Amino acid sequence: MGSSLGLCLGKAPSSSQLFLFFAMGSDVQPGTEMEIIVEETVSVRDCLKLMLEKSGLQGDAWHLRKMDWCYEAGEPLCEEDATLKELLICSGDTLLLIEGQLPPLGFLKVPIWWYQLQGPSGHWESHQDQTNCTSSWGRVWRAASSQGENRMRFQQPVHNKER
């Protein structure tokens, strides 16, 4: 009572397989999800490859996130060598293909904006030639261009002082 039964074309998943929904991006519209059947022992990396192949997408600048209970993108599946079973992914879950490569373990990806200062003449000063800036605390900023965006990398010097 109150249940619906749907008939799907094809072979039903075995007890060791997962029936998953997946969609591209975090703004999922109804009816845009795709379906895939994978072994529960498949790694996150291999599942991502299968989903990219099925959706016709290419490249290695993608990662997976599990959709949470309120249909929003949850935490990324960072452990690419972990199996879906180890990460408690179940049949019926929805995974999201999100563009952008995750940083290596132990690193953070922090957006930084570079604002140009207005000079005394009223013109904006160019900072394009500056590749290293040192602050008064001895921290080093390095400018790097990545896919048309200006990004900064911050390196904190290591101090070996015993107290």
Side-chain angles (χ1 to χ4, degrees):
M1 176 117 24
S3 298
S4 297
L5 177 64
L7 295 175
C8 298
L9 184 63
K11 186 179 170 186
S14 70
S15 61
S16 66
Q17 293 178 318
L18 300 173
F19 177 82
L20 301 173
F21 296 99
F22 71 99
M24 190 177 89
S26 57
D27 186 25
V28 180
Q29 302 300 318
T32 60
E33 302 97 348
M34 291 179 262
E35 303 164 353
I36 193 168
I37 297 175
V38 295
E39 292 292 328
E40 64 185 2
T41 55
V42 72
S43 69
V44 171
R45 177 182 291 109
D46 291 339
C47 183
L48 174 61
K49 287 179 185 175
L50 291 169
M51 290 178 175
L52 288 171
E53 184 178 305
K54 185 163 185 169
S55 61
L57 299 170
Q58 296 179 355
D60 59 353
W62 296 88
H63 65 278
L64 290 175
R65 291 178 182 255
K66 183 178 175 182
M67 185 179 283
D68 64 15
W69 62 273
C70 54
Y71 298 98
E72 294 178 353
E75 292 296 315
L77 303 180
C78 297
E79 300 175 46
E80 292 183 322
D81 294 324
T83 66
L84 298 180
K85 184 177 183 176
E86 292 170 340
L87 297 178
L88 305 176
I89 305 295
C90 303
S91 277
D93 283 347
T94 301
L95 299 180
L96 300 174
L97 284 169
I98 305 292
E99 193 169 8
Q101 196 169 22
L102 293 174
L105 289 177
F107 288 84
L108 297 174
K109 190 174 185 178
V110 180
I112 296 177
W113 291 268
W114 184 325
Y115 292 99
Q116 294 181 335
L117 301 174
Q118 190 172 8
S121 64
H123 297 290
W124 294 103
E125 295 178 5
S126 174
H127 294 281
Q128 293 176 353
D129 295 334
Q130 295 181 2
T131 55
N132 289 321
C133 301
T134 305
S135 70
S136 59
W137 297 298
R139 296 175 179 162
V140 178
W141 294 85
R142 299 190 192 283
S145 179
S146 171
Q147 297 178 356
E149 298 177 15
N150 288 328
R151 301 213 181 243
M152 300 291 288
R153 291 194 184 105
F154 178 72
Q155 298 177 342
Q156 173 67 43
V158 178
H159 299 285
N160 294 328
K161 294 182 181 178
E162 295 183 19
R163 296 177 186 222

